[in-house]
Amino acid sequence: MNVLFEQIGRIVIAKLNRPKALNALNSEIMIELISGLQKYDNYPEVGCFIITGNERAFCAGADIKEMIQKDFSEMFNEDYFGYWELFSRIKTPIVAAVNGYAFGGGCELAMMCDIIYASENAQFGQPEIKLGVIPGIGGSQRLTKLIGKPKAMEMILTGRTIDAIEAERIGLVTQILRKTDFLSQVIHIAQTIASYSKIALKAAKEATNYALESSLKDGIFFERRLFHSLFHTQNQIEGMSAFIEKRTAKFN
Ligand code: CAA
C-alpha cells in the first residue's frame, strides 16, 4: 500500500508510504490518497485529516521516473495531474504535517491542504525549473496567492529551497512545531478541530477557501448565507445552548 490510513477517534491520518522513493507522487499513490480521503470524507464522525510522510521526506515531488516515460500526447490525453482537482473537493479540513523534504508536487500537496505544520527540519521548494519544466499541480498559482509574486517567482525561477524558518516567515506554513513528538503535536491540534461540529467545519473551510476566488463583496455575501444555513443544524443549537448552560458542547 502506498498510503497508510489510520483512524484515531474523529481524525484520520494518511501516511504517504513510498519511503524508498521519498514518497514521490506516482499515479498509484495519487489515486490511493484521493480515494481514501473521499471515503473518509463521507464518515460523519471524521472531522479532520492529517497528511504526513516520514522524518526524511513529506514528499519529494511528482515521480520523475514515471513522467520521463510520457510524451506530450500522453500527458495531454490523460490530463496528467488533472485528477488532483478531486483533492480540492474534499470538504473535511486537511492538515499537512511536513517533515523533511516538500519539493515540487510535495510542496504543492502541502499547499492544497488547509493548514500546514512544519517540523524544524522541513524544507520546501518548487525545483521543477531544474528539470526543464514548471510546477504542474497548482504551484505557480497557490504559491503566488500565499506568499505574493516576488517571493513565489524567485522560488519558481531559481528552484531555491527554503527551510522551515523562512517558510514560516513568508507565510507559506502555519507554524513550526518541535521535531520531537512532531506528529503527536499535530494529532492534538487535529483532534481539537475534529471535536467541533462537522457541518460547521465544512462550512468554515468552504467560506475561507472562497476568499481566494471571489471579490470581497461576493465572499462576504457567501459567508453570510453559509452562516445563516448553520441555523438549521442541531449542532448550532447544541453549541449555543452549551455556552449559555456553562458546559462543554457535545457535537455529533
Ligand atoms: N521522483 C522519483 N524518484 C525520486 C524523486 C522524485 N521526485 N525524488 C527522489 N526520488 C528517488 C531517487 O531517485 C532515489 O531513488 P534510487 O535510490 O532508486 O536512486 C531515492 O528517491 C532517494 O533519493 P536521492 O538518492 O536523490 O536522495 P538524496 O537525499 O540524495 O536527495 C532530494 C534528496 C534532494 C530530495 C533529491 O532526491 C531530489 O532532488 N529529488 C527530486 C526533487 C524534485 O525535483 N521534485 C520535483 C519533481 S517534478 C514535480 O513535482 C512536478 C510538479 O509540479 C508536480
Side-chain angles (χ1 to χ4, degrees), residues 18-209:
R18 291 188 74 208
K20 285 187 185 150
L22 304 183
N23 292 328
L25 301 172
N26 61 9
S27 299
E28 285 84 28
I29 198 170
M30 173 184 72
I31 290 167
E32 279 181 42
L33 176 64
I34 293 173
S35 56
L37 295 175
Q38 285 172 325
K39 181 181 98 174
Y40 287 109
D41 200 26
N42 292 319
Y43 284 26
E45 80 277 15
V46 172
C48 193
F49 293 115
I50 296 173
I51 298 181
T52 194
N54 55 53
E55 290 227 339
R56 191 168 169 213
F58 174 71
C59 168
D63 192 315
I64 299 165
K65 292 169 189 166
E66 179 176 279
M67 288 188 291
I68 198 170
Q69 296 169 39
K70 295 180 186 291
D71 61 17
F72 167 76
S73 65
E74 286 169 291
M75 290 301 238
F76 186 80
N77 285 329
E78 290 173 27
D79 191 20
Y80 197 75
F81 292 154
Y83 196 76
W84 282 106
E85 282 172 29
L86 298 178
F87 186 101
S88 307
R89 294 198 205 146
I90 301 292
K91 291 188 155 58
T92 307
I94 308 175
V95 176
V98 180
N99 250 326
Y101 308 121
F103 292 161
C107 187
E108 291 168 305
L109 174 59
M111 288 190 288
M112 281 192 281
C113 297
D114 302 306
I115 300 177
I116 307 176
Y117 292 109
S119 163
E120 291 156 319
N121 68 328
Q123 292 181 54
F124 299 83
Q126 297 289 162
E128 291 88 347
I129 201 77
K130 296 179 185 173
L131 301 169
V133 291
I134 65 168
I137 317 180
S140 63
Q141 307 303 299
R142 290 196 177 90
L143 196 61
T144 306
K145 284 186 194 292
L146 284 177
I147 67 173
K149 176 179 161 180
K151 288 187 188 303
M153 193 68 95
E154 190 240 14
M155 281 178 70
I156 291 166
L157 294 184
T158 66
R160 182 173 76 87
T161 61
I162 61 173
D163 63 15
I165 293 173
E166 185 171 356
E168 188 188 39
R169 182 167 55 76
I170 64 179
L172 174 56
V173 306
T174 309
Q175 195 185 346
I176 302 172
L177 299 176
R178 274 189 331 271
K179 195 177 161 200
T180 320
D181 297 330
F182 173 62
L183 193 58
S184 310
Q185 296 168 75
V186 180
I187 288 172
H188 182 72
I189 299 165
Q191 281 171 333
T192 302
I193 294 171
S195 71
Y196 300 129
S197 160
K198 178 148 185 184
I199 193 76
L201 290 170
K202 285 181 174 178
K205 171 168 172 163
E206 199 165 303
T208 306
N209 278 333

Side-chain angles (χ1 to χ4, degrees), residues 1-12:
M1 283 187 292
N2 294 294
V3 185
L4 305 174
F5 286 92
E6 183 187 5
Q7 183 171 356
I8 307 174
R10 289 169 73 96
I11 71 165
V12 170

Side-chain angles (χ1 to χ4, degrees), residues 200-225:
L201 290 170
K202 285 181 174 178
K205 171 168 172 163
E206 199 165 303
T208 306
N209 278 333
Y210 197 68
L212 294 173
E213 288 161 19
S214 64
S215 67
L216 183 62
K217 189 173 167 222
D218 283 351
I220 287 172
F221 182 74
F222 182 67
E223 179 201 71
R224 194 163 67 246
R225 284 290 179 258

